[in-house]
């Protein structure tokens, strides 16, 4: 019966076991994974937009090809994740419908504008850096299709972070005073929103306790945020940029850096759809969906013809 199945499930994931698509799972486990994986996929696809703004404006052909490769990777990550989410019984059309209607979320970070070329490097360094922090533990997520998708995504993500850090290093070491100021300005604008990527404080997190019990969330929002801050302090020193937080300082007792308060009102405003670019990002996705009807119809017609030919 249901209770016995649930007890066995809890014991299995409790001791670090994995769940495959065909295994029994509580309805709530399925629901929360569909929520998280589909929103993760939406984040990858919407995340292509801020960087796309700079493909035609990249300063060299090398930087343009690197940026194009990164954006193409994000599209691929989105497809792996939509495919992983589909194994839980929802169609891609339903997931995209939820995104376009504003019902589903995507990462808050993508609702900020990319105002200069330095933003592309800072996104690679901070945004992809934060994404790696959050995604590495997901390679051990109890839902195996998600964990497998994350293994490949994490490998490509590390290239994303390195190319961003490298382009900033070039600007800081070889750039003019104005270019160095452009990097510092981008760091000032992206630092706090990058910390918000990890989600609300543990005490205000709706899903953390359940996701931790079910082996979906291996480290809490605040633990990952702290790891990220500690890593960035060293990297910022190497780059020669200042992180915009006067309260940031090493706490020997804790063995971590203390840092200032995050503006959670801003976070919830952006998550609620009222950030600088929310309307523009969603309109771009709805527009792509509508413009793409003919491509989907042609692909389906072609697939039908192939199937008829194969059956003949
Ligand atoms: N942006 C938007 N919504 C957020 C958010 C953020 N940064 N952080 C939390 N939220 C939402 C949650 O989705 C949840 O709302 P919901 O119930 O409607 O889904 C609510 O705020 C409460 O937050 P919780 O901490 O309770 O939610 P979770 O347990 O799901 O934790 C999370 C949030 C850490 C983002 C988790 O969902 C997660 O690990 N998701 C998968 C990884 C991911 O999406 N990473 C960010 C994407 S960036 C990216 O991958 C692109 C990269 O290539 C640059």
């Amino acid at each position: 019966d249901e209770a016995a199945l649930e007890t066995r499930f809890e014991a299995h994931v409790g001791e670090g076991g994995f769940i495959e698509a065909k295994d029994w799972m509580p309805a709530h486990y399925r629901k929360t994974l569909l929520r998280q994986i589909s929103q993760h996929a939406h984040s990858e696809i919407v995340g292509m937009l801020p960087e796309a703004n700079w493909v035609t404006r990249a300063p060299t052909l090398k930087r343009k090809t690197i940026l194009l490769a990164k954006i193409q990777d994000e599209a691929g990550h989105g497809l792996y994740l939509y495919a992983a989410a589909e194994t839980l019984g929802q169609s891609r059309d339903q997931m995209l419908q939820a995104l376009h209607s504003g019902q589903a979320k995507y990462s808050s970070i993508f609702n900020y504008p990319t105002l200069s070329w330095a933003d592309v490097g800072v996104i690679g360094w901070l945004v992809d850096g934060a994404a790696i922090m959050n995604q590495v533990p997901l390679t051990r997520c109890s839902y195996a299709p998600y964990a497998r998708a994350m293994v490949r995504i994490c490998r490509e993500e590390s290239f994303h972070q390195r190319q961003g850090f490298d382009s900033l290093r070039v600007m800081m070491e070889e750039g003019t005073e104005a270019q160095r100021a452009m990097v510092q300005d981008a760091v000032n604008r992206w630092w706090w929103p990058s910390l918000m990527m990890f989600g609300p404080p543990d005490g205000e997190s709706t899903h953390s306790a359940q996701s931790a019990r079910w082996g979906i969330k291996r480290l809490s929002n605040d633990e990952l945020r702290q790891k990220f801050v500690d890593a960035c302090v060293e990297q910022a020193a190497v780059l020669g940029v200042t992180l915009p937080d006067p309260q940031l300082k090493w706490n020997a007792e804790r063995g971590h850096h203390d840092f200032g308060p995050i503006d959670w009102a801003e976070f919830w405003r952006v998550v609620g759809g009222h950030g600088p670019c929310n309307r523009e990002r969603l309109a771009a996705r709805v527009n792509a969906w509508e413009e793409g009807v003919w491509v989907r119809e042609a692909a389906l017609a072609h697939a039908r013809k192939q199937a008829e030919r194969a059956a003949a």
Side-chain angles (χ1 to χ4, degrees), residues 35-36 39-40 43-44 47 70 74 77 103 105-110 127-128 131 134-135 138 146 157 160 196-200 204-208 211 217 221 267-268 271:
R35 169 192 65 84
Q36 174 162 333
Q39 293 183 159
H40 193 167
S43 303
E44 299 283 1
K70 176 176 189 299
E74 312 289 6
H77 295 175
Q103 187 221 323
K105 294 183 169 70
Y106 57 88
S107 191
S108 48
I109 193 72
F110 298 123
V127 174
D128 288 83
N134 155 283
Q135 289 174 157
L138 287 170
Y146 190 26
E157 214 67 271
H160 298 172
M196 295 175 197
M197 279 175 72
F198 293 93
E204 289 160 45
S205 166
T206 345
H207 306 287
S208 284
S211 291
K217 194 174 268 192
N221 299 0
F267 171 77
W268 289 115
V271 170

Side-chain angles (χ1 to χ4, degrees), residues 98-165:
L99 172 69
H100 300 155
S101 65
Q103 187 221 323
K105 294 183 169 70
Y106 57 88
S107 191
S108 48
I109 193 72
F110 298 123
N111 291 306
Y112 292 84
T114 45
L115 303 179
S116 81
W117 171 250
D119 286 45
V120 174
V122 169
I123 285 174
W125 172 39
L126 293 181
V127 174
D128 288 83
I132 292 173
M133 275 295 173
N134 155 283
Q135 289 174 157
V136 166
L138 287 170
T139 58
R140 296 191 326 278
C141 171
S142 60
Y143 187 56
Y146 190 26
R148 286 191 288 268
M150 292 315 304
V151 170
R152 175 145 175 205
I153 288 176
C154 286
R155 268 199 217 110
E156 291 174 345
E157 214 67 271
S158 48
F159 144 67
H160 298 172
Q161 196 212 15
R162 290 199 60 72
Q163 63 79 34
F165 189 80

Side-chain angles (χ1 to χ4, degrees), residues 181-225:
M182 194 162 74
V183 173
Q184 184 60 59
D185 166 61
V187 172
N188 295 344
R189 284 184 285 107
W190 288 92
W191 173 247
W192 292 105
S194 298
L195 297 193
M196 295 175 197
M197 279 175 72
F198 293 93
D202 294 346
E204 289 160 45
S205 166
T206 345
H207 306 287
S208 284
Q210 182 70 67
S211 291
R213 235 157 48 89
W214 277 343
I216 299 172
K217 194 174 268 192
R218 300 284 183 193
L219 284 158
S220 80
N221 299 0
D222 288 330
E223 282 170 336
L224 286 174
R225 199 180 346 262

